[in-house]
Amino acid sequence: MIKIWSMKKNEDQAAKKKPKTSAAQIRVQKDLTELDLPSTMKTNFPDPTDLLNFTLTITPDEGQPVTKYAPKFQSRSDFVLFAGMYKGGAFNFSFAINTNYPHDPPKVKCTQTVRLACL
């Protein structure tokens, strides 16, 4: 009988040492396993045990710069029109998911400045 109580006490101590998994972590894990990212997107988890904070890098691969003459600009130079002007770039987004996910949306932040060419 004493052996059973000591085994129960050891199980309780082991359960206390193990961190509890929140409902948000379970849902994020499910969502990430179902996610089918294209080859132009990569996820990075700085802390593999923390699924609620990660980064996503997008590297567009479509489009190429095209040089055309713009009739409305009567100048000596050609006007460069970029069809797919983001090709070759890498855009990083940080995701911070609240423990109340999916009821509260994740916070997504573009971690770099994206500059647009004014035409």
Side-chain angles (χ1 to χ4, degrees), residues 1-11:
M1 183 75 160
I2 296 175
K3 186 175 181 178
I4 293 173
W5 285 108
S6 64
M7 288 174 54
K8 176 75 171 151
K9 189 184 282 188
N10 290 341
E11 287 177 3

Side-chain angles (χ1 to χ4, degrees), residues 10-11 15-16 24-25 37 39 49 57 81 85-87 119:
N10 290 341
E11 287 177 3
K16 288 179 183 178
Q25 289 173 322
L37 291 177
S39 63
T49 61
T57 303
L81 175 67
M85 63 184 165
Y86 298 114
K87 180 180 179 179
L119 303 177

Side-chain angles (χ1 to χ4, degrees), residues 5 20 33 36 39 41 50 71 73 77 82 93 100 102 106 117 119:
W5 285 108
K20 290 187 177 183
T33 57
D36 185 25
S39 63
M41 295 183 186
D50 184 14
F73 296 108
S77 64
F82 287 97
F93 296 89
N100 201 22
L119 303 177

Side-chain angles (χ1 to χ4, degrees), residues 22-28 50-54 95-108:
S22 70
Q25 289 173 322
I26 294 169
R27 176 64 187 263
V28 168
D50 184 14
L51 294 178
L52 301 181
N53 295 295
F54 62 93
F95 284 74
I97 301 174
N98 192 334
T99 55
N100 201 22
Y101 177 80
H103 303 292
D104 290 341
K107 296 193 184 317
V108 180

